[in-house]
């Protein structure tokens, strides 16, 4: 009933002193995508890295780069991230000023388009741009940091988005970001997610392959309350 999810490990939780090695290790361990969290110290209260790092890592892996922009405004930097090697570029509606225009720009750059909903951001905020979207990401923590606790109140939103996506008849990925663990992943999959970001749950584990395999099995694992 719940197909095997894609796993997109978040590089934010990797050892920054040996990133290329970490990227190769998660690829060998079965990761499907690589999640790259871009933070500007303005849209979110943390600073991570930029397109230069993405460009440097591009030659070390074939995994699609799932780039999550937590920067405002995002528009002036979309081309730089596309050129650096992003495959999917996701933006927050609040990053402004014009979500529809940002999605058009990402499309025009030949990349897949994503939108990201913060915990307080309603489903209705993306209703009118669904035709431009290849991926919807649901934040199950407030953006800015890895290692936070999963916000359970987001589960009905995931289910509502699953229904909305199915009604389009289009292939739109439904990705969950924040606090995904072996315990919370089953809830995400029951609600209808097909892609899981996992920072701490993968890079914080001793054995990356076993951590990724556990998350991929989560659809067959009962939900614990
Ligand atoms: C938070 C980031 C997440 C974060 C996830 O702003 O968008 O991608 O790295 O980390 P974990 O899986 O540790 O919650
Ligand atoms: Zn993220």
């Amino acid at each position: 009933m719940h197909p095997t999810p894609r796993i997109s490990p978040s590089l934010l939780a990797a050892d920054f002193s040996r990133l290329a090695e970490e990227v190769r290790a998660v690829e060998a361990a079965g990761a499907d995508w690589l999640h790259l969290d871009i933070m500007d110290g303005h849209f979110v209260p943390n600073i991570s890295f930029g397109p230069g790092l993405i460009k440097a890592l591009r030659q070390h892996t074939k995994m699609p780069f799932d780039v999550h922009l937590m920067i405002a405004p995002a528009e002036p930097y979309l081309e730089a991230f596309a050129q650096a090697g992003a495959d999917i570029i996701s933006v927050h509606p609040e990053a402004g000023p014009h979500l529809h225009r940002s999605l058009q720009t990402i499309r025009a750059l030949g990349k897949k388009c994503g939108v990201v909903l913060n915990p307080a951001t309603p489903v209705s905020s993306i209703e009118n741009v669904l035709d431009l979207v290849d991926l919807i990401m649901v934040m199950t923590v407030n953006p800015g940091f890895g290692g936070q606790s999963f916000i359970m109140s987001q589960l009905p939103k995931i289910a509502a988005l699953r229904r909305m996506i199915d009604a389009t008849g289009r292939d739109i990925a439904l990705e969950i970001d924040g606090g995904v663990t072996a315990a919370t992943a089953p809830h995400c999959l029951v609600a209808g997610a097909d892609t899981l970001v996992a920072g701490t749950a993968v890079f914080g584990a001793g054995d990356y392959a076993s951590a990724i395999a556990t998350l991929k099995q989560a659809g067959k694992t009962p939900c614990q309350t």
Side-chain angles (χ1 to χ4, degrees):
M1 188 180 166
H2 308 293
T4 305
R6 285 186 206 95
I7 306 300
S8 188
S10 167
L11 197 68
L12 198 64
D15 179 346
F16 275 25
S17 69
R18 38 185 204 86
L19 286 176
E21 205 181 307
E22 291 275 68
V23 168
R24 288 193 294 261
V26 285
E27 183 169 30
D32 299 282
W33 292 353
L34 186 70
H35 188 81
L36 295 142
D37 288 305
I38 312 300
M39 302 178 175
D40 66 354
H42 165 72
F43 184 69
V44 289
N46 196 5
I47 299 176
S48 59
F49 45 80
L53 182 81
I54 292 182
K55 187 167 181 225
L57 290 175
R58 188 60 282 183
Q59 60 192 305
H60 293 280
T61 175
K62 291 194 170 19
M63 287 184 290
F65 279 1
D66 167 27
V67 175
H68 176 189
L69 296 182
M70 287 163 274
I71 62 177
E75 187 82 26
Y77 301 97
L78 296 174
E79 189 172 355
F81 283 102
Q83 283 177 357
D87 295 284
I88 309 154
I89 301 178
S90 299
V91 293
H92 286 251
E94 296 87 351
H98 307 135
L99 176 62
H100 189 275
R101 176 176 282 136
S102 296
L103 297 173
Q104 283 180 315
T105 303
I106 297 168
R107 273 274 166 103
L109 289 163
K111 304 300 175 183
K112 300 259 191 204
C113 283
V115 285
V116 194
L117 299 181
N118 275 336
T121 307
V123 167
S124 59
S125 64
I126 59 166
E127 258 168 22
N128 298 314
V129 296
L130 267 191
D131 58 321
L132 280 174
V133 163
D134 302 298
L135 177 146
I136 300 171
M137 202 186 303
V138 177
M139 293 306 301
T140 41
V141 298
N142 284 297
F145 302 94
Q148 304 181 79
S149 297
F150 187 89
I151 302 172
M152 292 294 265
S153 65
Q154 299 304 299
L155 290 171
K157 186 155 85 181
I158 299 169
L161 285 163
R162 168 48 59 202
R163 290 191 291 274
M164 191 186 277
I165 289 170
D166 288 349
T168 68
R170 289 185 46 238
D171 181 17
I172 300 174
L174 182 53
E175 182 172 34
I176 311 306
D177 187 11
V180 172
T181 63
T184 58
H187 291 277
C188 300
L189 298 179
V190 166
D194 55 35
T195 307
L196 303 174
V197 175
T200 313
V202 171
F203 285 107
D207 180 343
Y208 296 170
S210 140
I212 290 171
T214 300
L215 293 173
K216 287 198 176 193
Q217 288 299 311
K220 303 184 184 84
T221 311
C223 292
Q224 313 284 334
T225 47

